[in-house]
Structures are given as C-alpha cells and as structure tokens.
Amino acid sequence: MLAFPTHAQEDGSMSETSNKTRLEHDCIGQMEVPANVYWGIHTQRAIGNFPVSGITDSQHPELIRAYATVKRACSIANEKLGLIDPAKAEAIRAACLEIEAGKLADQFPVDVMQGGAGTSSNMNMNEVIANRALEIAGRQRGDYTYIHPNDDVNKSQSTNDTYPAACKLALIDAIGPLAESTKKLAKAFHDLADKHINDVTIGRTQLQDAVPMTYGQEFHAFATLLKSDLAAFDRVVPLLAQLNLGATAIGTGICADLRFRKSAIKHLAQITGLPVTAAPDPVAAMTDMGAYVATSAAIKSLAVHLKKAADDLRLLNSGPRCGFNDLNVPARQAGSSIMPAKVNPVIPECVNQCCFTIFGMDVTVNWAVAEGQLQLNAFDPVLVHELLPGMALLTHAMETFRVNCVEGIEINADLGRSYAQSSPSISAALNHYIGYEHAADIAAEAVHTGRTVREVAGERTDLPAEHRAGIPYGTEINFAFRPDLIHLFDPETEKNLMY
C-alpha cells in the first residue's frame, strides 16, 4: 500500500500518513483522493491500475523536470495568445518552476510501465501543477473551478504531443553527464597513450601474434572510439529537439489555436537554450520514433566500445604467470574466497555487465519503436524508462572504469618488447625487400630453431641490419608507422613513434 503524506514540508515533499480525503470526479465516476497530496483522481486511478514495476516517474527526475518545463512554455504561449488569464498563468508557471527545482518530487507516483501512451503521467503533472498553483493563488487544492488541470494547465495540449516532448528533453538532459564521463575516459586513455608512445608490444589478430605496435597506439585507439561516440551524441541532440507541441491529438492540432504551435516552440527554445524546432509534419511526427532509435544506437555504440576496451584489458592483464601479462590493471580486491593472493580484473568485469544491460535496453527500444500502430506509438513510457537508466548506468560505469582502472594501469614494457622481438610475424617487414615466399621461409626457420627473425635474416640475406626486422608500413595504407622506422627493434637506434 502507498503511504500518503500529511503535510507539505519546506521542500514541497510530504511526510506521515492521513485518513483525510477530498472527493474528485472524472468521466468514470467519483473517487476519494488523499487530501494532503497534490495529485488528483486521474493519478489515483493510475496508482491502482499499474502496480507493476515499483519504479515510478519520480525516479526519473530528468523527465519530471522536463515535463514541468514543457508545461511552463505552454503556459507562456497560452497567456501571450490571450488564451488564459494572466493571473492563472502566473500561478501555473510558479508551480512549474518549483517542480523544475526539484520540489514536490514525491508527487509523481505513477508506475513507469503505465498504459495509455503516457496519459497518466500527463494527467499527474497537470493535477500537481493545478493544485500547487491553486495554493499559490490562495485557493484550496481541488478547487478546479478556478484552475483546472485540463482546461488551464493542459490548455492547447494533449498527451500525444507533450509527453514525447518531455521524454526527448529528458534524454537531452541525460546526454550531458553521459558525454562528460565519455570525455573524461577518452582523456584518460589519451594520457595513457602519451605516456607509452615509445613502448613497443605485439599486436594480435584472431588472438594470434600479428605485427608490432606500441602500447601508445593501443590505448589511443580506445580514446578514438570514444570520440566517435561523442560525435554521435552531438548528432542526436537536434533530432531529440525536434518536437511536436501544438499538434495535440494524433497531430491534427485539434483544440489548439493555430498560433500556439509556433509560440510554444519559441518559448520552449528560449527557456531551455536548446535548438528546439517544430516537426515539419505533425501527423508523421506522432508515429516517428527515429530520434529514440538514434539515441539508443548511440548509447549501444558506446557500450560496444566500452566492452571492447574492458575485454582487451582483461586479456592483456591475464595471468600474470600463465597469460598475456602485457599490463597490470589496479588490484582492487581479493579475487577468491579459496585461492590466496588471486586478484581479478573486477572493474572491467563490472563494465562488461553494464554493457550487457545496454544491449538488452536496445532490444527493448527497437521492439517498442516497431510496435506503433496507425496514428500513434503508445510505448513512449517504456522507451524513456529504458533509455534514461541506461544512460545513467553507462555514466557511472565510465567513472569507475576511469578512476578505478584506466588511470592506474601499468604496462610490462620489457615483456611487451620481448613479445614483439620474438614474434615471427615481424617477418612481414621483409616482404618489401625479398618477397613474401622468402620472408615466410625465414619466419618458419626462426620458429623451428627458436631464434629471432632478425637473426635468421642476417644469415640468409645481405640486407643491412636495420632492414632485417621492423615495420615497413608506408603511408599508402594509412598506417601509423613510417618507412624510416623499420629499424625499430634495434635498441641502439630506436626512434619515437607518432600516432
């Protein structure tokens, strides 16, 4: 059972329980509503209809803030167009500002898995704003003859246009901290790359020895992947900022002044500072879920890249005696209840699991987007519920990845160099000089005799020492190494590698 508060505290929240009620009515009939809450009958019915996940709209503060902002912009537009009394509009805006500031946060108890395409959330917001506005205007809660949730707060609006608008603004809000965490992690990998720009190791393909590279290049690649994700977020914001306010029911604009659409969009853009624009086709926009798809895709891409980095670090950290042992991630806790001194790569493993969750999020988003029928997609609630927690999850995952893992990574430079020098794959450096077949013979002999390619090439060719092993990749294949660095593995003549 939901415990209802008895009185509003200074921050607008509620405390204690009460048996006092007020009687409200809707198209179905009458119902008792706790007298000390700001919501009304529509919210009360929703509480009983959707006791499903135990997760309420109030647990998505970005959504609550965004919805109040949408309502405030609509109130300004309605007043400017002469559609609502200025005194009522002022009280409505004052209530919206309180909600945007985080007050009345416990007054949004509707389960996120609600039916009705967000109607319950919209009615909940309308009722809370109306009742708080009534108090601000010196009236009693429930005095809807003065300020009505539908006729005044919801003037010129519908759930069909305001709920998606609030959802999209909430997602833009959540992109901010997600992008910031991405930038910080990318910088951490950049710093690690700069630190080890000259430290050579072996590259691997199909988990087999390939050609030499530097630790710096390996870490730099992770940073580059994260940069691509930041660019994707930049591309998503204008898509999310294309809104359909004023389109009301199914995009027809019914019950809205023809001037309202332009005015509401203008005022919302001014309030938020975002590139808010009106959807060019209001009817198409009602069923177009492309912005959600793009947002989910950008989040999933980030998760894929994080999983890639976490997986690689686990492999490179494996051992340390019987694995790759290329590097050491920071030891964070004991790794076994039975094996003394065992330490596991727990932070990369944590990141992996967060990424798995995001993959599930993306599947849910795709299904919800694909299930819109005729003139409306009814599944915005599950879309925003999946996306907002997913974004928060990755934001926190990247913070712990950076602070508790990446910034403390130490490489095993001598072992990396040893791997690179002993790998027969560096015989590829000889292809340019003696051809693939002769280079392959040299590699095979090196493996058979347990010597290095450099040593065998010294016996079987008349190439100068600096040409017997190295990395002769040219700019024609756009690789990072330069042809003049083919002598890389001669310790006396090693030069810097730039990436």
Side-chain angles (χ1 to χ4, degrees):
M1 291 291 292
L2 188 66
F4 298 114
T6 56
H7 62 279
Q9 302 185 82
E10 290 184 1
D11 64 354
S13 65
M14 299 286 152
S15 65
E16 302 180 15
T17 59
S18 172
N19 294 322
K20 295 182 179 179
T21 63
R22 64 176 184 267
L23 186 64
E24 295 197 8
H25 70 276
D26 60 8
C27 63
I28 297 176
Q30 293 184 330
M31 177 177 277
E32 298 285 344
V33 177
N36 54 352
V37 300
Y38 286 96
W39 67 71
I41 186 171
H42 297 285
T43 304
Q44 196 65 42
R45 289 199 191 280
I47 292 171
N49 287 337
F50 311 116
V52 182
S53 71
I55 303 170
T56 65
D57 282 343
S58 62
Q59 291 172 255
H60 294 322
E62 304 96 337
L63 179 60
I64 300 303
R65 286 196 302 267
Y67 220 146
T69 301
V70 168
K71 294 293 180 180
R72 180 156 64 97
C74 290
S75 175
I76 295 172
N78 281 321
E79 181 185 355
K80 295 291 184 183
L81 297 174
L83 304 176
I84 189 172
D85 178 77
K88 294 181 181 180
E90 183 178 357
I92 289 170
R93 289 195 295 276
C96 290
L97 285 168
E98 288 186 0
I99 296 170
E100 290 174 64
K103 296 181 179 180
L104 307 177
D106 62 348
Q107 296 299 294
F108 302 94
V110 179
D111 197 287
V112 293
M113 293 300 181
Q114 60 193 266
T119 297
S120 295
S121 290
N122 185 31
M123 295 301 292
N124 185 189
M125 181 62 65
N126 291 333
E127 290 170 341
V128 172
I129 291 173
N131 281 306
R132 179 61 187 132
L134 285 168
E135 283 187 339
I136 291 170
R139 307 271 179 149
Q140 294 293 316
R141 297 180 205 176
D143 184 9
Y144 299 146
T145 58
Y146 182 68
I147 295 179
H148 195 280
N150 297 75
D151 295 338
D152 297 308
V153 180
N154 200 56
K155 183 75 173 179
S156 310
Q157 304 153 59
S158 164
T159 300
N160 289 181
D161 58 344
T162 60
Y163 186 75
C167 290
K168 291 174 181 178
L169 291 182
L171 293 175
I172 293 175
D173 189 7
I175 283 176
L178 181 64
E180 185 63 25
S181 286
T182 306
K183 289 178 185 177
K184 289 179 179 178
L185 182 57
K187 185 179 184 301
F189 277 122
H190 268 300
D191 292 345
L192 200 58
D194 289 343
K195 183 178 179 181
H196 300 294
I197 189 173
N198 298 320
D199 293 311
V200 179
T201 185
I202 188 69
R204 299 175 177 93
T205 59
Q206 285 84 26
L207 296 180
Q208 305 298 302
D209 301 340
V211 296
M213 65 186 304
T214 70
Y215 283 98
Q217 288 180 305
E218 193 163 20
F219 295 137
H220 184 265
F222 297 146
T224 298
L225 294 177
L226 294 174
K227 283 184 177 180
S228 71
D229 296 317
L230 287 169
F233 293 144
D234 287 340
R235 293 191 295 270
V236 161
V237 170
L239 299 177
L240 291 170
Q242 187 179 92
L243 306 179
N244 211 17
L245 287 182
T248 67
I250 71 171
T252 62
I254 191 171
C255 298
D257 188 291
L258 292 177
R259 302 167 295 169
F260 178 81
R261 181 176 177 82
K262 181 178 180 180
S263 181
I265 290 292
K266 180 185 76 172
H267 292 298
L268 188 59
Q270 290 174 347
I271 290 172
T272 62
L274 295 171
V276 177
T277 58
D281 185 332
V283 175
M286 282 295 168
T287 54
D288 181 13
M289 301 283 107
Y292 293 118
V293 175
T295 303
S296 186
I299 299 168
K300 182 179 71 172
S301 176
L302 174 59
V304 168
H305 292 155
L306 289 174
K307 182 180 180 299
K308 157 69 175 170
D311 284 346
D312 283 4
L313 292 179
R314 288 179 70 213
L315 279 174
L316 296 172
N317 179 76
S318 62
R321 301 292 179 267
C322 306
F324 286 8
N325 196 29
D326 282 36
L327 54 79
N328 302 315
V329 300
R332 290 301 175 193
Q333 63 186 57
S336 173
S337 63
I338 191 172
M339 292 175 280
K342 186 176 187 290
V343 177
N344 296 329
V346 293
I347 302 302
E349 289 171 351
C350 169
V351 173
N352 276 145
Q353 293 174 87
C354 294
C355 294
F356 303 157
T357 303
I358 296 302
F359 300 155
M361 173 210 77
D362 187 61
V363 171
T364 301
V365 168
N366 288 338
W367 269 104
V369 165
E371 286 300 305
Q373 291 93 26
L374 302 179
Q375 278 67 58
L376 182 69
N377 187 305
F379 302 110
D380 289 77
V382 73
L383 287 168
V384 74
H385 169 59
E386 288 291 318
L387 290 168
L388 286 177
M391 296 164 86
L393 182 66
L394 284 194
T395 298
H396 300 317
M398 285 190 289
E399 285 297 300
T400 195
F401 196 21
R402 174 177 61 84
V403 174
N404 292 322
C405 181
V406 175
E407 291 180 345
I409 286 175
E410 295 179 352
I411 69 164
N412 297 321
D414 291 342
L415 184 60
R417 172 173 290 281
S418 174
Y419 284 157
Q421 288 177 323
S422 62
S423 172
S425 297
I426 62 174
S427 60
L430 300 173
N431 292 350
H432 179 69
Y433 302 100
I434 63 176
Y436 177 88
E437 295 295 341
H438 288 159
D441 289 341
I442 289 173
E445 183 175 338
V447 171
H448 181 70
T449 60
R451 294 185 293 165
T452 67
V453 168
R454 178 182 291 277
E455 292 170 339
V456 177
E459 295 176 358
R460 297 184 54 173
T461 73
D462 58 359
L463 290 173
E466 66 270 17
H467 290 177
R468 293 174 193 162
I471 311 169
Y473 291 99
T475 56
E476 70 276 3
I477 60 172
N478 194 31
F479 203 70
F481 294 104
R482 304 194 303 270
D484 61 325
L485 294 176
I486 56 176
H487 54 287
L488 175 64
F489 298 112
D490 182 347
E492 295 181 359
T493 58
E494 181 178 312
K495 294 183 179 179
N496 289 340
L497 289 174
M498 302 303 293
Y499 53 79

